[in-house]
Structures are given as structure tokens and as C-alpha cells.
Amino acid sequence: APQDLALSYNMQTQTLTVTITHKSFFTGTHYIKQVEIKKNNEPAGKNDYTSQLGKTTFVYTYQIPAAVNDILEVTASCNIQGKKTATLKVNAEKK
């Protein structure tokens, strides 16, 4: 299963950044197969993959329109077993 899942959101660009830590020496056979995104408990995106970008930590970005106080939930699933979920409450940008 993924060891860590970190989320950040940029209001200006409406971009969700997902940083995944999932150790794999064979990224084509053991990888994060799916990243599922929910906004306020409603499906907002599902992304399927056939390999992962790095052997330990890697980053995906997604264009997800969101407003202040929206709750974004991301679940990363390993193709062998296990998954990890993280949530983020969208905050106003600090000027």
C-alpha cells in the first residue's frame, strides 16, 4: 500500500497536487494503479495508470475546480494490494 499521501491545492490555478510515496523497484509491475478524487463526497475524477513515475515519491497534478471550504478526498490504490486516502479542506490563499 502507499506509505504516504500529501495533498495541496492552489486556488489561483485550480490545481490539486497529489504527492504519493509508494516504494517499488519494478514500477511497471508494482505501481499505483488508480487515483480517485472526490469533492464534497461527490466523484470529481478517476485516473488509471499502468506504471508509476518514480521508485519512491512522485507527484501528480489535476485540474479540479474548487471553492473555499470544499473538501477534497484522494484515494491512491496499489495494483497489488492496499490503498491510502487523504483529505484536504480548501483554504483561501494567503496573500
Side-chain angles (χ1 to χ4, degrees):
Q3 284 82 30
D4 193 38
L5 198 54
L7 310 179
S8 63
Y9 190 79
N10 184 319
M11 279 293 281
Q12 208 166 6
T13 61
Q14 297 279 287
T15 303
L16 172 65
T17 301
V18 179
T19 304
I20 302 170
T21 301
H22 178 253
K23 290 188 174 114
S24 171
F25 295 105
F26 304 101
T27 56
T29 55
H30 178 209
Y31 55 90
I32 296 299
K33 71 172 178 181
Q34 189 176 76
V35 176
E36 196 173 354
I37 303 164
K38 289 182 181 176
K39 181 173 82 174
N40 301 324
N41 275 333
E42 295 293 321
K46 190 184 282 189
N47 303 275
D48 294 306
Y49 301 98
T50 55
S51 66
Q52 72 183 38
L53 297 173
K55 293 188 179 200
T56 306
T57 302
F58 50 98
V59 176
Y60 290 125
T61 56
Y62 306 100
Q63 293 296 127
I64 304 286
V68 173
N69 294 327
D70 278 350
I71 303 293
L72 299 175
E73 180 182 288
V74 176
T75 301
S77 302
C78 173
N79 73 316
I80 294 175
Q81 77 173 47
K83 58 187 175 181
K84 189 164 186 76
T85 301
T87 57
L88 173 75
K89 183 177 180 180
V90 177
N91 293 315
E93 297 283 312
K94 293 175 180 67
K95 298 272 185 243

